[in-house]
Amino acid sequence: MAETIDTHDTVWLTQEAFDKLTAELAHLEGPGRTEIANKIAAAREEGDLKENGGYHAAREEQGQNEARIQILKDKLQRAKVGESAAKSDTAEPGTLVTVAYDGDTDDTDTFLLGSRDVLGLDDSVDVQVFSPQSPLGAAVVGQKLGAEVSYDAPNGKPIAVTITKLEPWT
């Protein structure tokens, strides 16, 4: 029986982003863990752990490191690696999508469909990013240019949008 992929659980990655996340995971599991273990050991040698700020900070860092490892493992396990099409008429992860609200061509938003860390973006890239699992992202993913779709706002109110432009993210 063929395995089906649930696109809402799939993490879409470029090869570059996949390689970057894989390298980050390798660092966190190897040198990152070793460095934190050394910090914990050094703090233990200082004595009383109840009032040892260095020990508590190192344990906090260890928890954050382990949480990031789990997040990366999950993303990489669910990853589908590919490249964005040079020109697409369908909204898919890695696409820059422009939508008009309620058919008003003056009230538009442009956003990248995907995830900042999955697409390898840092905070210096000035673009709104919506995941395919977000309400707006889920409404537009797989839709064609000109499609009219709606999604529910956090307050439960439906919002109608029309896809007015699709561009590959470069």
Side-chain angles (χ1 to χ4, degrees), residues 115-153:
S115 168
R116 280 191 174 280
D117 64 333
V118 166
L119 294 168
L121 303 179
D122 58 34
D123 291 336
S124 68
V125 177
D126 187 26
V127 65
Q128 287 188 80
V129 180
F130 290 99
S131 81
Q133 293 80 20
S134 70
L136 178 55
V140 301
V141 75
Q143 298 294 321
K144 301 278 187 196
L145 182 64
E148 296 178 12
V149 297
S150 66
Y151 66 98
D152 290 334

Side-chain angles (χ1 to χ4, degrees), residues 3-4 14-15 26 28 41 43 64-65 72 74 77-78 81 84 86 99 103 123 125 136 144 146 151 159 161:
E3 181 181 341
T4 60
T14 63
Q15 186 64 55
L28 294 176
Q64 291 171 352
N65 188 66
L72 290 173
D74 176 62
Q77 180 180 5
R78 296 182 295 123
V81 179
S84 295
V99 296
D123 291 336
V125 177
L136 178 55
K144 301 278 187 196
Y151 66 98
I159 298 175
V161 297

Side-chain angles (χ1 to χ4, degrees), residues 54-69:
Y55 173 78
H56 294 290
R59 293 291 299 199
E60 172 89 13
E61 184 179 355
Q62 181 183 42
Q64 291 171 352
N65 188 66
E66 294 304 315
R68 181 67 179 158
I69 287 170

Side-chain angles (χ1 to χ4, degrees), residues 11 19 31 48 59 67 83 114 151:
V11 177
D19 293 344
D48 185 9
R59 293 291 299 199
E83 294 296 327
Y151 66 98

Side-chain angles (χ1 to χ4, degrees), residues 39-51:
K39 287 179 184 179
I40 291 171
R44 276 191 178 135
E45 290 177 7
E46 293 176 10
D48 185 9
L49 298 181
K50 288 181 183 178
E51 296 181 21

